[in-house]
Every structure is written in C-alpha cells, then in structure tokens.
Amino acid sequence: MPLNDITIRANNAPSTRQPTLFASLQASRQRRHKRRSAENSREDQTTKRVCVKSIDTDAAPSSKQPQITKSLLTPMSIRSALRRRQHMSVPPCNISTIHMLEGMASSAERAYHTPEAGGGRQLPLACRYSPNGDRLALVDEAGCVSMFDTSIAGPISPQNRWQAHAHAVFDAAWSYDGSMLVTAAADDTCRLWDAESGALKGEFRGHSKTVRAVDWRHMDGSCFASGARDGSVLFWDTRCNKARGDDTYSYRPVSTIAQAHAQGRRQGRRASMAAVSVTGLRHLRHDAHLVATVGAAAATVRLWDVRMAQSARSSAFAKPISESIAPQGRARGVASLALDPDGTRLYAPCNDGHVYVHNAAHLGEPVCQLGAPEFECRGFGSGAASSSCGRYLASGSATGAVVVWELDRVGANSSGRRAVLQGHIRDAGCVAWNPQRLQLASCADDGLLRLWDCDSAEAERGRSDVANRCRWGFATIH
C-alpha cells in the first residue's frame, strides 16, 4: 500500500485518546444541570397544584388580610412561599392563623391539683414535655417529679411520682432521646433519673446555692449545663469526673463560668462583685459549643463558648464572647430564657413587662419586643415557650393568664394579634408546648397544672355548661 494511502487512513481514523479532566468535569456539570432542570420543572407543576389547594382551603382571608389572586402564583413565587412556610414556619403572604387558638380549652378533667403536704398545697414550679410529646414531667415545691401520659384523652393523673430531692425542684430537662431526666433543686444539686422507672442515675455537686436552670446540649445525651443563684454556670459530662458511691455515681463539673452575670469591673483573678443569680440558659443549635445565659440583674443575654470556660479548679473569670444591649431605662432582670425550634431566636421575658426577642446568631440590640395589657412579669417564675411550628410564643403572666403571641419570620408580633388563655386564678409560671401537636401545658401558683387542647367542639361544650364553666379554661382572641 502506498505511503500516502496509509497516512490518509491514519488521519481519518477515530481518535483513541482519553478525555482530559477538564472535559470530564464539563460533561458532568452539563448532566447535572439537565437533571436539575427536569426536577425543577416537575416541582413547579406539583407545587402549583398544592399551593392553590392550600390557599383555597386552609384559611379564608378576612377583610383585614391581603387577597391572593392566581396572577401572583408564578412557579418561582409559589416555590419560595412554600419553602418559607416549611423552613421559617410562616404561612404564605403572612396569613394570620391565630383564630386556630380560639378552640383551645382546658376542662376540669384536664387539670391536675398538686397534693397537699405540710399544711398547704405544694406549688408546681416547672413542666417539660418529652421529645416525642407523649410524656410530661412536672416538678414541684415538695421536691417531687410527677410523670403524665399526654397521649391519652380524658382525665389526667400522674402515671409515676417519686421524691427526687428533699427541697423544691425548680427546673427539669429531658435528654434528646427521652430516656433520662435531669432535675435542678434548692439543695444545690442536680440529679439524673431514669425517666421510665424513676431510678437515680447520678448526683451532680458543685453549686453553693439553689440551682435554677438546667439544659442539655443539643443532640447529646452526655453533656448538660446548670445555672444557679451563686452566679455560676457549671458544665457536666456523665462520661467523666465521676466517683462510685454507695448507691449511685457522684459527679464533679468539668468546667465552670464563675459570676456569669456579675455587675462591675473584673480585675483578673481578684474581683469583689456580688453574685447575680443565673435565671436561665440554653445551648444553641447552630454551634454545640455556645451557651446563652440570662441573669437577675439586667435584661441582657450573654453568649459563652464552652471551650473558653475555666476548669473547675481555676479561680479566673471567663469572658463572654458576645452580649446583647440592654434596653433603655432602669435595669430589670430576666425571668427565664427560651429558644425557638429552629434555633434562630431567643426569647427573654423581663421584669419590665416585655418579652425581648434576640437573634441567636448575632447578639446586639433586641430584634423586637412583645407586650400585652394582660402580660405582667413579676419575679423570676414566669416562663416562655415557642411552639414546634415557630408561629406562637406563650408566656405565663402574673395576672394568671397565659398570653400567646402570633409571630412572623423575625419573631415580631407584626399582626398585633394574640390569644389569652384564662384558667388560673394566681400567677401563671412555667409553660410548655407539645412538640408533636397543638397542645399547651401551664402551671401556676394556684396549684394547678392545666393541659390546653385545641378542640373547638370541646370548647363550645364548655362554654355552654353554665354550671361548671368556672372550672374550665378558655381562650380569647385579641
């Protein structure tokens, strides 16, 4: 064969060279782009049908609410609205849903009177739902823990009750899996319990005064923090710093923050400042090493990094990494601290009669403040709790009412509407939302624990029962 023919055939033959890395990445990027385009197209069609049906059936707009027309329902706006509704817990176009709470009621069967002891009724101090919402733990002034089954209807009574401390129990917290319960009491200790059997698992000693608040680290069944009237925040780990006792383990703190909310100027290791009680604390969700605390001296929130806390044997003072700006006027303390389900907002009920909303990711001036004529915060017994959807914030009031504000995306009460639950005759303290359904628990100084269920038919039946209406609790919308 002539050389020219061989050359021509070689030049016309298909190339066997391997593709370059750049060409492979470009082809992969093109395939991924085509796949995403197809998925977005299918999502737009499905989302449009779901959104139109939801807007037509979920809530009919009132005269004060904006009308929604089909001309606004473009695929992009529909998808964005549903994402805001799912992730930010806000209905499309800020449709008010406070009317749903008008059906909340608490019958006489759904109220529990704490037992009497020592010539008087032992007041309930805190109530906490388990992570799955099927159990409710109530701690009282007698040092007892009462466990209720909230998954059943009808009268409520404790399924289990045990003596946890010799003195009053001020707070309790569930582990993330619901298997354990830690209690904070006036005997300067915290104790760990098996939530099912009530068996003691361990005792935590390190505070010198009443322990006021306790909270587990997010998604961690070993580490928690406690705050007390001695002004310190102690951090505990059930895996270390323990010693075997006669009946159970005894634990020492792994690190500490001394005088977390003391007022004055710190001077290294030597500083004479009066201890300010730590009234509330919460582990943040976006960073497991961050803890927010509030105190009884000022309406400020301080943010701490656990890794910067001092060891239990050190006498040096730790410094907060961030602190909110206190409102203008006379300094007032904060009764408690609550974190919303998304972990983005902190709620601090203050003794000046407002609930201050803070951005959990960046402390500074409060984002907004919530108030109502029915809301009064006196002392440090009022608690706040955010619903699982993030749309409602409930707080106990010294007037005996439980005030529920409707929230928007930033945590403000932009609609100006609220629900007021009237069922207690003395100061309402701790409140808790069921994480799985629209149910609220409240306890007050009248010795009552009330469960508020959202059932319009049951509420109407209670309003028509003239003879026993005084034993019920009802909601009114303002």
Side-chain angles (χ1 to χ4, degrees), residues 283-297:
H283 281 91
L284 301 190
R285 297 194 173 186
H286 66 274
D287 191 335
H289 300 292
L290 299 182
V291 176
T293 62
V294 292

Side-chain angles (χ1 to χ4, degrees), residues 340-358:
D340 76 330
D342 295 332
T344 57
R345 298 186 293 270
L346 289 164
Y347 302 99
C350 181
N351 280 333
D352 63 1
H354 296 90
V355 178
Y356 292 99
V357 183
H358 298 270

Side-chain angles (χ1 to χ4, degrees), residues 427-449:
D427 296 16
C430 183
V431 294
W433 286 96
N434 191 310
Q436 300 297 329
R437 52 188 177 276
L438 195 58
Q439 184 185 72
L440 179 72
S442 64
C443 55
D445 288 351
D446 55 4
L448 277 181
L449 166 70

Side-chain angles (χ1 to χ4, degrees), residues 283-329:
H283 281 91
L284 301 190
R285 297 194 173 186
H286 66 274
D287 191 335
H289 300 292
L290 299 182
V291 176
T293 62
V294 292
T300 57
V301 180
R302 290 183 176 179
L303 195 61
W304 308 84
D305 192 325
V306 178
R307 295 165 295 185
M308 298 175 63
Q310 302 297 326
S311 65
R313 298 180 180 180
S314 174
S315 60
F317 290 115
K319 295 183 179 180
I321 63 174
S322 179
E323 183 176 3
S324 66
I325 300 175
Q328 297 293 331

Side-chain angles (χ1 to χ4, degrees), residues 36 158 186 217 234 273 369 390-391 399 443 457 473:
R36 287 181 179 178
R217 191 162 68 178
L234 302 185
M273 296 177 291
Q369 63 184 28
R391 298 181 186 178
T399 62
C443 55

Side-chain angles (χ1 to χ4, degrees), residues 60-125:
S62 62
S63 58
K64 296 183 180 180
Q65 298 167 350
Q67 298 290 334
I68 301 176
T69 59
K70 292 185 178 180
S71 61
L72 299 176
L73 301 179
T74 61
M76 184 60 67
S77 65
I78 293 171
R79 187 164 60 253
S80 300
L82 285 185
R83 286 175 178 172
R84 287 197 304 270
R85 186 174 188 177
Q86 178 181 1
H87 297 291
M88 302 300 293
S89 302
V90 176
C93 297
N94 291 330
I95 297 176
S96 177
T97 59
I98 195 67
H99 63 276
M100 297 173 55
L101 302 185
E102 192 172 8
M104 295 198 76
S106 175
S107 65
E109 296 179 345
R110 304 292 279 174
Y112 170 74
H113 288 267
T114 54
E116 296 184 1
R121 189 173 299 279
Q122 301 300 317
L123 304 181
L125 298 179

Side-chain angles (χ1 to χ4, degrees), residues 137-157:
L138 175 71
V139 295
D140 58 34
E141 201 175 27
C144 295
V145 176
S146 302
M147 202 69 65
F148 298 85
D149 186 353
T150 58
S151 62
I152 59 177
I156 60 170
S157 60

